[in-house]
Amino acid sequence: PVTARTLETVIRLASAHAKARLSNVVEAQPDCEVAMDILSFALYHETAEQKSSSTDSKDTEKSIEVSDEEGESDVDDVPEPSSKRQRTDEQEQDKLKSRVLMELNQNDGFLILDDICQDIGDRDNVSKIVQLLVSEGKIMTEENDEGKLDVYTVSD
């Protein structure tokens, strides 16, 4: 649906294009067409070539070729929607983050890294989660005198 706001945007873009052409008159063919192309790119990330090729054939490509100065071409993949596995991994990561924070809170905001989530066999994963929480500013780490990593919660 075309809203009043969208229509106003098209009018402003077409007027700007006419001014760029040094014309006092907004014309349908160059100005409104370019305005619609700009709007469709801004809203749907479609270019005029993609629109015309998608209406000609049902085949839509999931990559865009960009040629550099030397004539070589690079292919940039359009990001795919996150898969169920990625969502599951993110959920597991969020659960592990919550668990690390909960264990720290249960131990007065301090634990040695080796004591966090001891039942999890993949210690690298626990270390990655701790580093992720450090980068988010939720916890701090510091090497103790024994060479082990102490983990602290950040107080607000």
Side-chain angles (χ1 to χ4, degrees), residues 105-135:
N105 287 332
Q106 289 174 347
N107 290 285
D108 299 324
F110 168 79
L111 272 175
I112 297 173
L113 179 61
D114 296 338
D115 295 339
I116 296 175
C117 303
Q118 289 180 333
D119 60 318
I120 296 178
D122 187 4
R123 300 308 299 167
D124 289 335
N125 195 21
V126 174
S127 296
K128 286 178 188 175
I129 294 297
V130 166
Q131 290 305 319
L132 187 60
L133 287 167
V134 167
S135 69

Short mmCIF file of all heavy atoms in Angstrom, two decimals, residues 105-135:
data_model
loop_
_atom_site.label_atom_id
_atom_site.label_comp_id
_atom_site.label_asym_id
_atom_site.label_seq_id
_atom_site.Cartn_x
_atom_site.Cartn_y
_atom_site.Cartn_z
N ASN A 105 26.75 -15.03 40.48
CA ASN A 105 25.93 -14.38 41.51
C ASN A 105 25.76 -15.26 42.74
O ASN A 105 25.70 -14.76 43.87
CB ASN A 105 24.56 -13.99 40.95
CG ASN A 105 24.65 -12.81 40.00
OD1 ASN A 105 25.54 -11.97 40.13
ND2 ASN A 105 23.74 -12.73 39.05
N GLN A 106 25.68 -16.56 42.55
CA GLN A 106 25.54 -17.48 43.69
C GLN A 106 26.83 -17.56 44.51
O GLN A 106 26.82 -17.99 45.65
CB GLN A 106 25.16 -18.87 43.19
CG GLN A 106 23.75 -18.97 42.67
CD GLN A 106 23.44 -20.33 42.06
OE1 GLN A 106 24.34 -21.13 41.80
NE2 GLN A 106 22.16 -20.58 41.82
N ASN A 107 27.94 -17.14 43.91
CA ASN A 107 29.23 -17.20 44.60
C ASN A 107 29.77 -15.80 44.87
O ASN A 107 30.97 -15.55 44.72
CB ASN A 107 30.22 -18.02 43.79
CG ASN A 107 29.86 -19.49 43.77
OD1 ASN A 107 30.05 -20.17 44.76
ND2 ASN A 107 29.30 -19.95 42.67
N ASP A 108 28.88 -14.90 45.24
CA ASP A 108 29.23 -13.52 45.59
C ASP A 108 29.98 -12.79 44.48
O ASP A 108 30.82 -11.93 44.73
CB ASP A 108 30.06 -13.48 46.89
CG ASP A 108 29.29 -14.04 48.07
OD1 ASP A 108 28.06 -13.82 48.12
OD2 ASP A 108 29.91 -14.70 48.92
N GLY A 109 29.68 -13.13 43.24
CA GLY A 109 30.23 -12.42 42.09
C GLY A 109 31.67 -12.75 41.77
O GLY A 109 32.34 -12.01 41.04
N PHE A 110 32.19 -13.87 42.27
CA PHE A 110 33.58 -14.24 42.00
C PHE A 110 33.71 -15.75 41.86
O PHE A 110 33.19 -16.51 42.67
CB PHE A 110 34.49 -13.78 43.15
CG PHE A 110 35.86 -14.37 43.10
CD1 PHE A 110 36.80 -13.86 42.23
CD2 PHE A 110 36.20 -15.46 43.89
CE1 PHE A 110 38.07 -14.41 42.17
CE2 PHE A 110 37.46 -16.02 43.82
CZ PHE A 110 38.40 -15.49 42.96
N LEU A 111 34.40 -16.18 40.82
CA LEU A 111 34.74 -17.59 40.62
C LEU A 111 36.02 -17.68 39.79
O LEU A 111 36.32 -16.78 39.02
CB LEU A 111 33.64 -18.33 39.87
CG LEU A 111 32.51 -18.96 40.67
CD1 LEU A 111 31.45 -19.53 39.74
CD2 LEU A 111 33.00 -20.03 41.61
N ILE A 112 36.71 -18.77 39.94
CA ILE A 112 37.83 -19.07 39.04
C ILE A 112 37.22 -19.69 37.79
O ILE A 112 36.24 -20.45 37.87
CB ILE A 112 38.82 -20.04 39.72
CG1 ILE A 112 39.44 -19.38 40.95
CG2 ILE A 112 39.90 -20.49 38.75
CD1 ILE A 112 40.31 -20.29 41.79
N LEU A 113 37.76 -19.39 36.65
CA LEU A 113 37.20 -19.86 35.37
C LEU A 113 36.99 -21.37 35.37
O LEU A 113 35.97 -21.86 34.89
CB LEU A 113 38.11 -19.45 34.20
CG LEU A 113 37.66 -19.90 32.82
CD1 LEU A 113 36.30 -19.30 32.46
CD2 LEU A 113 38.68 -19.53 31.76
N ASP A 114 37.93 -22.12 35.94
CA ASP A 114 37.81 -23.58 35.95
C ASP A 114 36.62 -24.07 36.79
O ASP A 114 36.16 -25.19 36.62
CB ASP A 114 39.09 -24.22 36.49
CG ASP A 114 40.28 -23.95 35.58
OD1 ASP A 114 40.07 -23.64 34.39
OD2 ASP A 114 41.43 -24.03 36.07
N ASP A 115 36.13 -23.23 37.71
CA ASP A 115 35.01 -23.63 38.57
C ASP A 115 33.65 -23.28 37.98
O ASP A 115 32.62 -23.66 38.54
CB ASP A 115 35.15 -22.96 39.95
CG ASP A 115 36.38 -23.46 40.70
OD1 ASP A 115 36.87 -24.56 40.37
OD2 ASP A 115 36.83 -22.74 41.61
N ILE A 116 33.63 -22.56 36.86
CA ILE A 116 32.37 -22.17 36.24
C ILE A 116 31.88 -23.31 35.36
O ILE A 116 32.63 -23.84 34.53
CB ILE A 116 32.54 -20.88 35.40
CG1 ILE A 116 32.92 -19.72 36.31
CG2 ILE A 116 31.27 -20.55 34.63
CD1 ILE A 116 33.24 -18.43 35.58
N CYS A 117 30.63 -23.70 35.53
CA CYS A 117 29.98 -24.74 34.72
C CYS A 117 30.87 -25.98 34.61
O CYS A 117 31.19 -26.45 33.51
CB CYS A 117 29.62 -24.21 33.33
SG CYS A 117 28.55 -22.77 33.34
N GLN A 118 31.23 -26.53 35.75
CA GLN A 118 32.16 -27.67 35.79
C GLN A 118 31.62 -28.90 35.08
O GLN A 118 32.39 -29.72 34.60
CB GLN A 118 32.50 -28.03 37.22
CG GLN A 118 33.38 -27.02 37.89
CD GLN A 118 33.71 -27.41 39.32
OE1 GLN A 118 32.95 -28.11 39.97
NE2 GLN A 118 34.85 -26.94 39.80
N ASP A 119 30.30 -29.04 34.99
CA ASP A 119 29.71 -30.23 34.38
C ASP A 119 29.77 -30.19 32.85
O ASP A 119 29.50 -31.19 32.19
CB ASP A 119 28.27 -30.41 34.84
CG ASP A 119 27.40 -29.22 34.47
OD1 ASP A 119 27.86 -28.09 34.62
OD2 ASP A 119 26.25 -29.45 34.05
N ILE A 120 30.14 -29.05 32.28
CA ILE A 120 30.21 -28.95 30.82
C ILE A 120 31.60 -29.38 30.38
O ILE A 120 32.61 -28.82 30.80
CB ILE A 120 29.90 -27.51 30.35
CG1 ILE A 120 28.46 -27.18 30.72
CG2 ILE A 120 30.15 -27.35 28.86
CD1 ILE A 120 28.03 -25.78 30.37
N GLY A 121 31.65 -30.40 29.53
CA GLY A 121 32.92 -30.95 29.09
C GLY A 121 33.67 -30.05 28.13
O GLY A 121 34.90 -30.06 28.10
N ASP A 122 32.97 -29.27 27.34
CA ASP A 122 33.60 -28.40 26.35
C ASP A 122 34.04 -27.10 27.03
O ASP A 122 33.32 -26.11 27.05
CB ASP A 122 32.62 -28.11 25.20
CG ASP A 122 33.26 -27.35 24.06
OD1 ASP A 122 34.49 -27.10 24.11
OD2 ASP A 122 32.53 -27.01 23.11
N ARG A 123 35.23 -27.11 27.62
CA ARG A 123 35.73 -25.96 28.35
C ARG A 123 36.01 -24.78 27.43
O ARG A 123 35.95 -23.63 27.83
CB ARG A 123 37.00 -26.32 29.13
CG ARG A 123 36.81 -27.42 30.16
CD ARG A 123 35.67 -27.20 31.12
NE ARG A 123 35.84 -25.99 31.91
CZ ARG A 123 34.88 -25.44 32.64
NH1 ARG A 123 33.69 -25.97 32.69
NH2 ARG A 123 35.11 -24.34 33.32
N ASP A 124 36.34 -25.07 26.14
CA ASP A 124 36.57 -23.98 25.18
C ASP A 124 35.30 -23.17 24.99
O ASP A 124 35.35 -21.94 24.87
CB ASP A 124 37.03 -24.54 23.83
CG ASP A 124 38.45 -25.08 23.89
OD1 ASP A 124 39.22 -24.63 24.76
OD2 ASP A 124 38.78 -25.93 23.04
N ASN A 125 34.15 -23.85 24.96
CA ASN A 125 32.88 -23.16 24.80
C ASN A 125 32.60 -22.26 26.00
O ASN A 125 32.14 -21.13 25.84
CB ASN A 125 31.75 -24.18 24.60
CG ASN A 125 30.49 -23.53 24.06
OD1 ASN A 125 30.52 -22.45 23.49
ND2 ASN A 125 29.37 -24.20 24.24
N VAL A 126 32.90 -22.75 27.20
CA VAL A 126 32.71 -21.95 28.41
C VAL A 126 33.62 -20.73 28.35
O VAL A 126 33.21 -19.61 28.66
CB VAL A 126 32.96 -22.79 29.69
CG1 VAL A 126 32.91 -21.92 30.93
CG2 VAL A 126 31.96 -23.93 29.79
N SER A 127 34.87 -20.92 27.92
CA SER A 127 35.81 -19.81 27.81
C SER A 127 35.32 -18.78 26.80
O SER A 127 35.44 -17.57 27.03
CB SER A 127 37.19 -20.30 27.40
OG SER A 127 37.72 -21.12 28.39
N LYS A 128 34.77 -19.25 25.69
CA LYS A 128 34.24 -18.33 24.67
C LYS A 128 33.08 -17.51 25.22
O LYS A 128 32.97 -16.31 24.97
CB LYS A 128 33.79 -19.10 23.44
CG LYS A 128 34.93 -19.62 22.60
CD LYS A 128 34.42 -20.43 21.42
CE LYS A 128 35.55 -21.11 20.69
NZ LYS A 128 35.07 -21.99 19.62
N ILE A 129 32.21 -18.16 25.99
CA ILE A 129 31.07 -17.46 26.57
C ILE A 129 31.55 -16.41 27.57
O ILE A 129 31.04 -15.29 27.60
CB ILE A 129 30.08 -18.45 27.23
CG1 ILE A 129 29.43 -19.36 26.18
CG2 ILE A 129 29.04 -17.73 28.06
CD1 ILE A 129 28.59 -18.62 25.16
N VAL A 130 32.56 -16.76 28.37
CA VAL A 130 33.11 -15.81 29.34
C VAL A 130 33.70 -14.61 28.59
O VAL A 130 33.46 -13.46 28.96
CB VAL A 130 34.16 -16.50 30.25
CG1 VAL A 130 34.98 -15.47 31.02
CG2 VAL A 130 33.48 -17.46 31.20
N GLN A 131 34.45 -14.87 27.51
CA GLN A 131 35.02 -13.77 26.73
C GLN A 131 33.92 -12.91 26.09
O GLN A 131 34.05 -11.69 26.00
CB GLN A 131 35.97 -14.30 25.65
CG GLN A 131 37.24 -14.89 26.20
CD GLN A 131 37.99 -13.91 27.09
OE1 GLN A 131 38.10 -12.73 26.80
NE2 GLN A 131 38.50 -14.41 28.22
N LEU A 132 32.85 -13.55 25.67
CA LEU A 132 31.72 -12.82 25.09
C LEU A 132 31.07 -11.91 26.14
O LEU A 132 30.76 -10.75 25.86
CB LEU A 132 30.70 -13.81 24.53
CG LEU A 132 29.53 -13.23 23.74
CD1 LEU A 132 30.01 -12.47 22.53
CD2 LEU A 132 28.61 -14.36 23.30
N LEU A 133 30.91 -12.43 27.35
CA LEU A 133 30.35 -11.63 28.44
C LEU A 133 31.29 -10.48 28.83
O LEU A 133 30.83 -9.39 29.17
CB LEU A 133 30.04 -12.51 29.65
CG LEU A 133 28.84 -13.43 29.50
CD1 LEU A 133 28.81 -14.48 30.61
CD2 LEU A 133 27.55 -12.64 29.49
N VAL A 134 32.60 -10.72 28.73
CA VAL A 134 33.57 -9.64 28.99
C VAL A 134 33.42 -8.56 27.93
O VAL A 134 33.37 -7.36 28.25
CB VAL A 134 35.02 -10.20 29.01
CG1 VAL A 134 36.04 -9.08 28.96
CG2 VAL A 134 35.25 -11.07 30.23
N SER A 135 33.29 -8.96 26.67
CA SER A 135 33.15 -7.97 25.59
C SER A 135 31.84 -7.20 25.69
O SER A 135 31.76 -6.05 25.26
CB SER A 135 33.27 -8.64 24.22
OG SER A 135 32.16 -9.46 23.97
#
